[in-house]
Structures are given as C-alpha cells and as structure tokens.
C-alpha cells in the first residue's frame, strides 16, 4: 500500500510540474512581469551568508540561481517533482551536488500520510471526522539549520494538491465535508508559515498567490476565489511570532490569458511577497 501511495503522489507532482512548464511555454510574455517582480523582491531582501533553502524551486523560472549561488556556502533546492533535476543540474553546472544540493521531497511532510487514510475514511462514511483529525507533520527540512529560507509560490499551492487528492477519491462532498476539507487546507498553510518562523533560520522570504481571479474579455466583473484560508492572510500581512516584517509588495500575475488556452475565460492571480527577519528587540 505504501509503495502504491508513494507513486500516486509522485505522479501528481510530476503532472503539475509538467503543466507549469507547458503553460510557461505558451504564456511566457505574460508571465515575465510576475517573474521579474519575484526575482527583484528576492534580490532586495535576501541576506547573504551561510546555507540557503529554496522551497518550491521548480524550474527556477522565478529565482536567479546563478546570482544567488556566490552569496551562500550552500543552496538547497527543494521540490517534490523529480523532473526538475535536469534543469537544476544544467543551471548549477559544476556546483551541482557540491554547493547546490537537490532535495526531492514534499515540504509539508504530510501529504503522503494524510492521503493514506482517505479511501478507508470514505468507505466507512467517516470523511468529515477524518479530515478534522488531521494534524500537519513536520517536513524533513524544518529541523535543518538554514540561515535563510525562500518559499516560492507554495503557501497558496500546497493545499491544492491535498484538495485535488481528496476530490479525486471522494468525488462529491457534503457541505460539512467541504468545511472540514477547507479547514485542513488552512492547517497546511499555517504549518508552512510557522515552519518559516522557527529556529534556526534568521530570515525568510514568502511569495504566494493570495487571490485567484477569473475573467472574460466581454464581462466587466471578475470572479474571485481566495487562495489563503483561515488566519493565514493575517500572518502574511503582519509578522509571525519570532520574526518581524521587513518588507512587502503585491502584484498581478497574468497566469492564463484568455484566447491562449481557452476562448471562454482567462486567469489572473494576485501575488503577495513578505520578507521577515529575526526580531532584534523584545
């Protein structure tokens, strides 16, 4: 069962990664302003020195690895999609596996174990209770000593993998099951932000989608869906417990222009960025 579940989740990450790569190929000119804003925010707020972790590094579209590498003794690249390895190796060159360390894993540490009980819970008619019982686990990276951590478009994306896995098995949800699912998604997001705030890291950069907009060229109103759940937005807009906010920006990402992938509608994401540093005073 464990082997089948591992391959199941592994396929999800590969599919999503390949989809991002294909969409970028179709929409690159529309993505570039977002990518440039991301790279500039990182350049402005990064604190050189020591070991750096980049969570959700993907195909390095929104981070300039060659520019960051001379500033750190090691750069650890984290992603759950193993197909990104070739891009990392090509970009890092001789530094790959020496100072650029590939880490293929689910940064939440939770998705595999959470998914393992889904089928049983649904079969027993206990999905709502099961979802309510789930507590985020610690990701393998969380206890490691990194001086700085960059979270790249993960806070909004993390719960989507979980939501899609639940819906693929459950097919339809009752209103109470939907409530339980959303709350479990919020716990994943909150756990990720908490992990960025804990010892031993001295600074963190968080870049995430915060709202999803769907539009039609012939319609003046956009549909809006939140990307953050529970109290996650309040943490992002203020400061976590251990750190204090040292900068923040927001911009729009034209993810899927109408008439490129769909004649019916297009998609735009609101992106927000925050930089945190360890508090220097009580």
């Amino acid at each position: 069962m464990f082997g089948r579940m591992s391959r199941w989740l592994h396929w999800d990450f590969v599919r999503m990664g390949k989809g991002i790569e294909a969409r970028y190929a179709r929409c690159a000119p529309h993505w570039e302003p977002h990518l440039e804003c991301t790279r500039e925010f990182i350049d402005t707020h990064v604190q050189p020195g020591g070991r750096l972790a980049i969570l959700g590094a993907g195909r390095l579209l929104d981070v300039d690895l060659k520019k960051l590498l001379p500033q750190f003794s090691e750069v650890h690249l984290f992603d759950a999609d193993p197909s990104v390895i070739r891009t990392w190796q090509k970009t890092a060159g001789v530094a790959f596996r020496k100072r650029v360390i590939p880490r293929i894993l689910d940064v939440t540490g939770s998705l595999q174990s959470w998914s393992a009980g889904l089928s049983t819970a649904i079969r027993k008619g206990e999905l709502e209770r099961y979802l309510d019982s789930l507590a985020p686990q610690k990701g393998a990276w969380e206890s490691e000593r990194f001086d700085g951590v960059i979270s790249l478009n993960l806070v909004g994306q993390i719960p989507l993998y979980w939501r899609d896995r639940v819906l693929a098995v459950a097919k339809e949800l009752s209103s109470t099951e939907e409530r339980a699912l959303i709350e479990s998604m919020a716990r994943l997001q909150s756990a990720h932000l908490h992990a960025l705030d804990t010892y031993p890291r001295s600074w963190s950069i968080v870049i995430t989608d915060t709202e999803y907009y769907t539009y039609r060229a012939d319609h003046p109103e956009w549909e809006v869906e939140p990307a953050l759940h529970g109290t996650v937005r309040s943490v992002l807009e203020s400061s976590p417990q251990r750190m204090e906010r040292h900068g923040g920006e927001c911009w729009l990402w034209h993810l899927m222009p109408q008439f490129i992938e769909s004649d019916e509608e297009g998609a735009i994401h609101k992106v927000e960025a925050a930089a945190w540093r360890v508090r220097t005073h009580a």
Side-chain angles (χ1 to χ4, degrees), residues 74-118:
E74 292 180 0
V75 177
H76 291 243
L77 302 178
F78 289 81
D79 206 282
D81 174 10
S83 69
V84 300
I85 287 286
R86 184 175 299 178
T87 298
W88 294 354
Q89 186 172 17
K90 181 179 179 180
T91 304
V94 296
F96 188 69
R97 296 192 187 280
K98 297 177 182 178
R99 293 179 54 232
V100 175
I101 315 301
R103 310 288 296 275
I104 302 300
L105 52 82
D106 163 31
V107 298
T108 73
S110 302
L111 295 185
Q112 183 163 298
S113 62
W114 282 20
S115 297
L118 272 177

Side-chain angles (χ1 to χ4, degrees), residues 31-190:
W31 282 32
E32 192 54 38
H34 156 66
L35 299 177
E36 185 61 28
C37 285
T38 303
R39 291 188 289 260
E40 287 182 0
F41 189 87
I42 291 171
D43 290 346
T44 299
H45 295 284
V46 74
Q47 302 292 300
R51 302 172 79 233
L52 170 66
I54 302 178
L55 310 179
R59 284 158 177 79
L60 303 175
L61 296 174
D62 39 16
V63 63
D64 190 339
L65 178 62
K66 291 183 178 179
K67 190 171 184 178
L68 289 173
L69 186 54
Q71 302 180 59
F72 297 93
S73 59
E74 292 180 0
V75 177
H76 291 243
L77 302 178
F78 289 81
D79 206 282
D81 174 10
S83 69
V84 300
I85 287 286
R86 184 175 299 178
T87 298
W88 294 354
Q89 186 172 17
K90 181 179 179 180
T91 304
V94 296
F96 188 69
R97 296 192 187 280
K98 297 177 182 178
R99 293 179 54 232
V100 175
I101 315 301
R103 310 288 296 275
I104 302 300
L105 52 82
D106 163 31
V107 298
T108 73
S110 302
L111 295 185
Q112 183 163 298
S113 62
W114 282 20
S115 297
L118 272 177
S119 296
T120 299
I122 292 170
R123 186 173 65 252
K124 292 182 176 180
E126 299 177 350
L127 179 59
E128 181 185 355
R129 180 184 301 177
Y130 179 72
L131 293 172
D132 283 336
S133 73
L134 295 172
Q137 301 179 31
K138 182 176 287 190
W141 66 277
E142 294 184 33
S143 59
E144 295 188 47
R145 177 175 290 277
F146 293 111
D147 298 275
V149 181
I150 301 173
S151 175
L152 278 177
N153 289 311
L154 275 181
V155 181
Q157 189 179 68
I158 282 171
L160 300 184
Y161 288 98
W162 171 236
R163 179 201 64 187
D164 290 350
R165 183 53 56 193
V166 172
L167 295 179
V169 179
K171 305 303 181 184
E172 294 184 7
L173 302 180
S174 67
S175 60
T176 55
E177 289 169 342
E178 184 175 355
R179 184 272 313 161
L181 173 58
I182 292 173
E183 290 181 0
S184 69
M185 293 164 64
R187 291 195 293 275
L188 284 177
Q189 292 181 319
S190 295

